[in-house]
Amino acid sequence: MATNRQLLRPLYFLQRAIANLVHAPLMSLVATATIALSLFVGAIFALSISGGEALLNAWGGAAHLTLYLSPAAPDEAARILAQRAAFLAGPQATVQTVTHDAALARLKHDLGDLGRALDGLEENPLSPLVEVRLPRSANAAEVRALADQFARIPEVIDVDYGRAWLDRLTSLLLALRWTAILLGVVVLAATIFLVSNTIQLTVFARREEIEIMKLCGGTDWFVRTPFLIEGALQGLAGGLIALGGVALARHLLLPKMADALAFAAGMDLPRLLPSQMLAVAGGGAALGLLGSALAVGRFLRA
Amino acid sequence: MIKLFHVTKSYLGDRPCIADLSLTVDKSEFVFLTGPSGAGKTTLLRLIFAAERPTSGQIIVGGRNIARLSASAIPYLRRNIGVVFQDFKLLNNRSVLDNVAFALEVIGERVGPARRRAREMLGRVGLEHKAESPPQRLSGGEQQRVAIARALVNSPAIVLADEPTGNLDASLTADILQLLFDSNARGATIVVATHDRGLLTRFPRRAVQLAHGKMTSDG
């Protein structure tokens, strides 16, 4: 049957789609650029968020918890607290006791030449403390939970783990994630709308050709298929351009950000995984296809 | 081949373009549809190739009831109908040969055989030497011959022509009609809409006259 023969002619439709793209390059560029821009924005946003999460986890993983005892507490109390902390933190954590004297010696060392001023002190004002270093696998939530447990021990007067910074970063990332989802939906809808309208212009420009196709007995699928291929090709091109843009941004911009944030935490720059690259390129093709399907569908119904 | 039973076509708020029209066109018949502008000739042709649906009544074309035809079945009906328009409706970004071959590609013919058949068809209408030209470089008469070649290349059972000679002088009109007579001689059913009563005198055939969407004479 003729229709089946048509469906078995992908090369014919591909040739027609490419010929149509060449005949109307401006419209194709507009659609491609729209898709590229929206995917670029989306990918950069996703990368930023995943980078932030990695940073948060890296920070949490490398976290030091410092448990302060009362300045009057004996060193022995710190040693007992260290044993309890080691039990609570688990076998992968490293726990170290810092006695009164060790704390003072450390402060002197940190102050350098100024440290000599401490020699005049009649008694050591520093608290003994216990330092807990958690494994890298510990995430921010686990660090927070452990800190809360330590804070409930009566001998502990304070727990320092950078709570404010960690909490702020967690809230920021949560807000960013929701913003990204909302923005993603808006950008996606706007992209489909723009692409569909751009393609509709090309459909309209070829209305005579479509009219003749239908007059000669062409099915809706015969009319639709080249437009769908065009849309997918434009979307794929947009996706590849967006990936190029992300790679460029990563080379030019991220190292500067990394100096400020990630490098300090000893982590790599965020990068798109091959599966994510495939998702960007495939997403572009899907966007183009959908925009095209909507545009041609509207035209054929009219 | 074509049967209309009490067909009415009207648009909201307007008087009917076609009003309770019944008509039969037999296989291999040649019929002129005549009448002044606005008589309903074009609407009648559009009803026959299912570009419009009747408001009421039944239209049978090649044994199929158009009123009951699903939208997806219409392309298959049209593959048996060649349509020619006064304004040719040729694609100016394609060559003459491609315009004709396009009608075959649309229905699933491969490009190579389609171009071969299109070239043969252009030979029949005397335009093989213009195959690679763009249509806008051709005269009006030549463009109409290309449009006829496109309508006939698929060997349709029915050919509908809407004012095919409307823009042409008497000599070119005779050439165009001769192509349609030739196709009729090969067995196609031909319906030609024209407002030119002079054609009926020069080429006497069955003439169905319409006025205000109604048949006023048939003979």
Side-chain angles (χ1 to χ4, degrees), chain B residues 28-110:
Chain B
S28 303
E29 199 175 2
F30 192 112
V31 179
F32 282 115
L33 273 181
T34 68
S37 294
K41 305 185 293 294
T42 299
T43 304
L44 183 53
L45 293 185
R46 288 176 63 78
L47 286 168
I48 294 171
F49 69 85
E52 308 265 3
R53 299 272 186 173
T55 308
S56 63
Q58 305 294 324
I59 302 174
I60 313 290
V61 177
R64 298 185 217 195
N65 188 341
I66 286 182
R68 289 188 194 160
L69 217 53
S70 67
S72 59
I74 289 173
Y76 302 98
L77 169 86
R78 290 189 184 156
R79 291 173 189 193
N80 295 310
I81 302 174
V83 188
V84 181
F85 296 93
Q86 182 175 1
D87 60 355
F88 322 130
K89 292 198 189 297
L90 298 175
L91 297 172
N92 285 322
N93 60 351
R94 290 170 185 249
S95 69
V96 162
L97 181 67
D98 286 341
N99 265 276
V100 179
F102 190 50
L104 293 170
E105 289 172 28
V106 161
I107 60 170
E109 184 71 273
R110 292 193 175 278

Side-chain angles (χ1 to χ4, degrees), chain A residues 1-3 5-6 9 12 16 208-209 211-219 222, chain B residues 49 75-76 78-79 85 89-91 94 102-103 105-111 150:
Chain A
M1 206 166 151
T3 304
R5 271 192 282 157
Q6 284 167 9
R9 295 163 68 200
Y12 172 78
R16 274 191 50 208
E208 278 195 354
E209 185 181 328
E211 189 189 353
I212 290 166
M213 283 183 208
K214 300 205 80 177
L215 207 62
C216 294
T219 59
F222 185 88
Chain B
F49 69 85
Y76 302 98
R78 290 189 184 156
R79 291 173 189 193
F85 296 93
K89 292 198 189 297
L90 298 175
L91 297 172
R94 290 170 185 249
F102 190 50
E105 289 172 28
V106 161
I107 60 170
E109 184 71 273
R110 292 193 175 278
V111 176
R150 183 183 62 198

Side-chain angles (χ1 to χ4, degrees), chain A residues 153-176:
Chain A
I153 299 173
E155 291 83 7
V156 175
I157 60 166
D158 194 17
V159 179
D160 180 14
Y161 71 101
R163 176 195 291 269
W165 157 241
L166 197 64
D167 285 349
R168 221 173 291 145
L169 197 59
T170 307
S171 315
L172 181 71
L173 278 172
L174 196 68
L176 273 179

Side-chain angles (χ1 to χ4, degrees), chain A residues 20-33:
Chain A
N20 292 338
L21 287 174
V22 171
H23 277 129
L26 189 65
M27 290 297 174
S28 307
L29 281 177
V30 172
T32 303

Side-chain angles (χ1 to χ4, degrees), chain A residues 13 24 33 50 55 102 126 166 194 209 220 286:
Chain A
F13 286 116
S50 78
L55 178 66
L126 299 178
L166 197 64
L194 281 174
E209 185 181 328
D220 282 355

